[in-house]
Amino acid sequence: MSENNGVPDASGRIRTGDVSGTMVVGSHNTVSNLKITAEYGSTVTVHGGPLPDPVKRRPICQLPRSAAERLIGRERDVRVLRDAIETRQLVQIWGASGVGKSALLRHLACEMPRGPEGVAYVEAGGRTADDIAQAIFDISFDAPDYKPSLEVLKEHLKTLRLRIYLDDAGLDEKDLRRLFDMAGQSTFVFTSQQRSAVDCVHAIRLEGLTAPAAAELMEALLSRELLPDEAPVVGALCDAVGGNPLRLRRIALSAVTGKGLPGIADLPELLPALLNKLRPQERDLLHLLGSLSGAELATGHLHDLLGLPDVDTLAGGLVRHGLLLASESGYSCPPDVAESVLANRRTVYPADRLCRTLTTWVEARDTTPDDVAAHFQALDVAVLRAEKSGHAQLGAALARAASPKLALSRQFDAWGSLLGVGWAAAKSAGDKEGEEFFLREARTRRRAIGRAAQTAALVLEADVLWRELTSLHTHAAVQQVTGAASTGTPPVGAASTGTAPVHPIAPTHGVVHTQALTHPAAATSATSAPGHAALSTHVARPVVDLSRSSAQPHVAAHLTGAHSAAPVPKRIDLSAAHSSAAHSTHAASTSAPATTAPATSAGHTALTAAGAASAKGGISALALACTIGLAAVLGVGAVVYANDQSHPSPTVVAGPAGAPSPIDDTSAGADTDPGDDTAATDDTEPSDDASPTVDPVCATALPKLTSESQQYKTDADASDTAFDSYSSAVDSYNSGVTSTAPDDSAVVSADNTVAADLNVIESTLQLAISEAQDSSVEADLTSMLTAVQQMASQYQAFQPDVSGSVIDTSSQSSAMGSAIDSLLTDCGE
């Protein structure tokens, strides 16, 4: 175990605990060995042995731990869910926070008959679809140190016939569909706060307890029968809190610590009153966990950080009375409790102490990669908080110490998130060696998941890696703010500043396997620090965003004829491209900051011209020019392109200071829309100057553009999915797995839909121009119109073409970004 808690010693080198390992990553022609050590990080070499042969476990079984208390008042819900699970393949339990979804899911997982091949219970909170899929694979197959490619992972998962229980699956519709498709023969039962819109999901809303069930729960918590005069009071209180078990538990605690049951008028101030009656060590425990934006810590962490004896007993009592939440891996603080605790303390738990303790734990020899993966959210929060509180070096040291073990856990999206926050912390601390480490790890991670060929040229790779690390850092910050803002809790670090709660417009999803999400209104140079939103929380700024994430550029080189017999995709040997681009990784990492180009465009850029290819990376221009079919671009994996997107321009909307908690609202829509984009805020105060007069058209045009651009992003994502599917089909055809030439009709249809969306935006802009009164606003709208028309023209002109058809909207997106930025300024936003 390290003695310096991850702080650089006199030589400037971070001493870390002994950790090393090798795993096999990928499949077919992309199989690699990923060798990982604590001091030097990760390296990738070509896998020289046979591909691992995963052996299916018999039986497959991973269950949650047994509940400490029996399930009360859910007999009817259990019957309904049993019937649904036995007859449906996809079942969702949804409802308000604190209503008991997790407890019910654990009960079902333990008591329901297993699937034909077994059962798997997975805590999905904060995880991406790919990391969840890898977790299911690890549960189901004996394949030590193997992380298959997504294609091979799906081949294995689709053979499973399990009952899979996912707790707190906060995925968007696209990722849920993809996850369900991967394990198509298994039954999924999952919980979340919002009802799923995925086709074929049987969604069952979990309501609060009935009055008799509430009375039974109260008697169990009080360890006595209710008195005759207490029964009607409990019934009234049950109605007042909507039968929410978490809040009923707090009412019982009030009865134990006070003079009896509270009245309905006492409910608004019940939580602060309860916290004031707790013992000091209990308040300290809540303060620590409340500072982590919903992330969990294990019992060992709590003991090390607080020095308290018998932490499990202490935490268990707080769980029993609805002030903490327990999971398989530790304890977390409900958002409303965190808000109240932080408001009372007016500070958060010290970030430096948190980082030092977690670094010591990470470096310990008996801390396994799976242990680190189970607490990746706490690691992210600790690094982010360290960066914000002036302890960036400690945050970077923690991320650097945790990176090797998190990589060995095979949870690559969690690893990517940590690399993003670690890189930002190192950059903030001026730690050049640390920056280089995280940049090198990001490059290795990209190679391991089969994305290295997309940025084979070193100059382009440095730019893409910078953007991806910025995106990962922002994604982690967004998750922190999202967790805090879901019930009005201020982000950590905001408690002492009086900042109003931030209500995110949209959490980001799946950023690890896509390029950085882009906001064209705020392109920044690559030399600027990773940004949090520079918006006052008093400003509700519209989101006019015509950007989108995409795993691939829109390079469409298809078969001749969309629906007829056509020349089949030919296997293209671009091995020369790989060798010609094999430059020193050290040169790439050290030159990255200097060679990163300004991020001024937000579209998909395909560098297929001979001059660009040869100048950037020495790739054979002939090899790129001769690609036939999308397989040559995506299937065999040898193309140089830059998805030239600026990092996200986070946008937030301030919520009212007294916004009610979702725990108080059991209606379906209590939470913010999960499909929008969001990020963190800074502490900039709004100007006191009088607002200038703005063009009235702003009030009508901006909301419409916001709505229409969201539809464009949704359909553009669907278009990306169609490209990915077609790419996979071509790859299968080229490798001989299938014998039928792929059909590109779905790609064409998706492309036409995106073109239609752009036409709608064009109409809105034309109308706004005709009504504009301010010449500057009119000029901004005209610039936007020109860019949109040019983008739409490319989509409309798209035709499958054996010679290759390229959709390159980079210049239009750049122009759009400048115009939107100018429009928001001229509209007073």
Side-chain angles (χ1 to χ4, degrees), residues 31-109:
V31 177
S32 303
N33 280 328
L34 184 63
K35 184 177 181 180
I36 303 168
T37 61
E39 185 173 0
Y40 299 107
S42 309
T43 57
V44 173
T45 59
V46 176
H47 179 62
L51 191 69
D53 184 18
V55 177
K56 190 180 294 184
R57 305 182 195 274
R58 300 187 185 278
I60 298 168
C61 182
Q62 176 153 307
L63 294 172
R65 61 186 178 186
S66 300
E69 300 175 350
R70 67 185 181 90
L71 200 64
I72 293 177
R74 294 302 186 188
E75 295 79 9
R76 178 182 175 278
D77 297 307
V78 170
R79 288 196 302 270
V80 170
L81 283 162
R82 277 181 174 271
D83 292 343
I85 295 169
E86 289 172 354
T87 58
R88 306 271 186 160
Q89 191 174 8
L90 306 174
V91 178
Q92 181 197 26
I93 306 169
W94 70 283
S97 175
V99 78
K101 303 181 294 295
S102 296
L104 182 55
L105 188 75
R106 291 191 190 101
H107 175 85
L108 292 169

Side-chain angles (χ1 to χ4, degrees), residues 253-335:
L253 176 61
S254 176
V256 171
T257 58
K259 297 181 180 179
L261 292 170
I264 294 178
D266 300 323
L267 291 179
E269 298 300 322
L270 178 62
L271 184 55
L274 289 177
L275 297 177
N276 288 333
K277 295 177 181 178
L278 295 178
R279 292 174 292 169
Q281 59 266 39
E282 291 174 320
R283 290 198 294 270
D284 289 343
L285 179 55
L286 292 178
H287 177 239
L288 167 59
L289 289 171
S291 300
L292 296 180
S293 301
E296 298 175 347
L297 289 178
T299 302
H301 300 145
L302 302 176
H303 179 271
D304 292 342
L305 287 163
L306 298 174
L308 298 175
D310 200 8
V311 174
D312 264 328
T313 300
L314 192 68
L318 295 173
V319 170
R320 177 176 173 82
H321 292 293
L323 298 178
L324 280 184
L325 302 175
S327 71
E328 300 301 294
S329 54
Y331 300 95
S332 62
C333 191

Side-chain angles (χ1 to χ4, degrees), residues 515-675:
Q515 296 295 344
L517 293 173
T518 310
H519 194 303
T524 62
S525 74
T527 56
S528 62
H532 304 287
L535 290 176
S536 164
T537 54
H538 298 284
V539 178
R541 184 168 181 168
V543 180
V544 184
D545 189 347
L546 297 183
S547 65
R548 55 194 169 86
S549 60
S550 175
Q552 305 293 352
H554 269 197
V555 182
H558 296 288
L559 309 177
T560 302
H563 308 286
S564 61
V568 297
K570 299 180 181 179
R571 184 184 298 274
I572 305 297
D573 183 5
L574 299 183
S575 56
H578 291 282
S579 60
S580 63
H583 297 285
S584 163
T585 57
H586 175 74
S589 59
T590 55
S591 64
T595 57
T596 302
T600 55
S601 63
H604 299 284
T605 305
L607 297 183
T608 56
S614 59
K616 294 293 185 181
I619 303 282
S620 165
L622 178 62
L624 291 173
C626 292
T627 54
I628 299 178
L630 198 59
V633 179
L634 306 179
V636 250
V639 68
V640 181
Y641 84 91
N643 190 4
D644 194 12
Q645 301 185 15
S646 61
H647 64 72
S649 171
T651 304
V652 297
V653 174
S661 164
I663 289 181
D664 295 325
D665 183 1
T666 57
S667 62
D671 292 341
T672 55
D673 182 4

